[in-house]
Amino acid sequence: QVQLVESGGGLVQAGGSLRLSCAASGSIYSSATMGWYRRAPGKQRELVATITSSGSTNYADSVKERFAISRDYAKNTVFLQMRSLKLEDTAVYYCVILNNGFAYWGQGTEVTVSS
């Protein structure tokens, strides 16, 4: 069984930066992929970024060159460094881990970008 706890969300002005963290606990397999999704108000959930156990990353086109996903494998923690934030980045951000064929989700952390 796996639990994910996100932190780091909040209110930030456009152009600013924010770092999200997600700590996983439980039986984490070495092959696990971790990532971030987000759901903006009135919109569908979308993939933001993922990082595999080998360090391969991928990003949504909307966040490329602005966001960076990283991972502390020893602590089973994934980060999302967000910079040059835009109003359209406002969303609830969810951490996810694909662990031994099962997907586990965090409770979400809210990011609000203001003008």
Side-chain angles (χ1 to χ4, degrees):
Q1 188 67 4
V2 175
Q3 283 190 309
L4 299 171
V5 180
E6 302 107 324
S7 62
L11 176 65
V12 63
Q13 288 190 311
S17 299
L18 207 60
R19 179 185 283 112
L20 306 183
S21 299
C22 174
S25 62
S27 182
I28 308 300
Y29 285 70
S30 59
S31 59
T33 292
M34 301 187 74
W36 295 90
Y37 281 75
R38 68 185 182 186
R39 187 186 297 275
K43 296 184 178 180
Q44 299 293 115
R45 182 189 67 183
E46 67 172 345
L47 176 68
V48 178
T50 61
I51 182 167
T52 70
S53 59
S54 62
S56 297
T57 60
N58 76 89
Y59 298 90
D61 288 341
S62 59
V63 307
K64 285 181 178 177
E65 311 302 326
R66 298 190 298 116
F67 290 11
I69 189 169
S70 61
R71 186 170 176 176
D72 185 330
Y73 294 92
K75 297 181 179 179
N76 291 321
T77 300
V78 65
F79 306 92
L80 186 67
Q81 178 66 56
M82 304 181 290
R83 59 176 295 275
S84 300
L85 283 160
K86 304 175 179 179
L87 267 59
E88 52 263 42
D89 295 319
T90 295
V92 178
Y93 286 72
Y94 297 91
C95 178
V96 65
I97 184 169
L98 181 60
N99 188 63
N100 196 32
F102 295 89
Y104 299 87
W105 296 85
Q107 82 287 352
T109 185
E110 187 170 351
V111 173
T112 302
V113 183
S114 67
S115 61

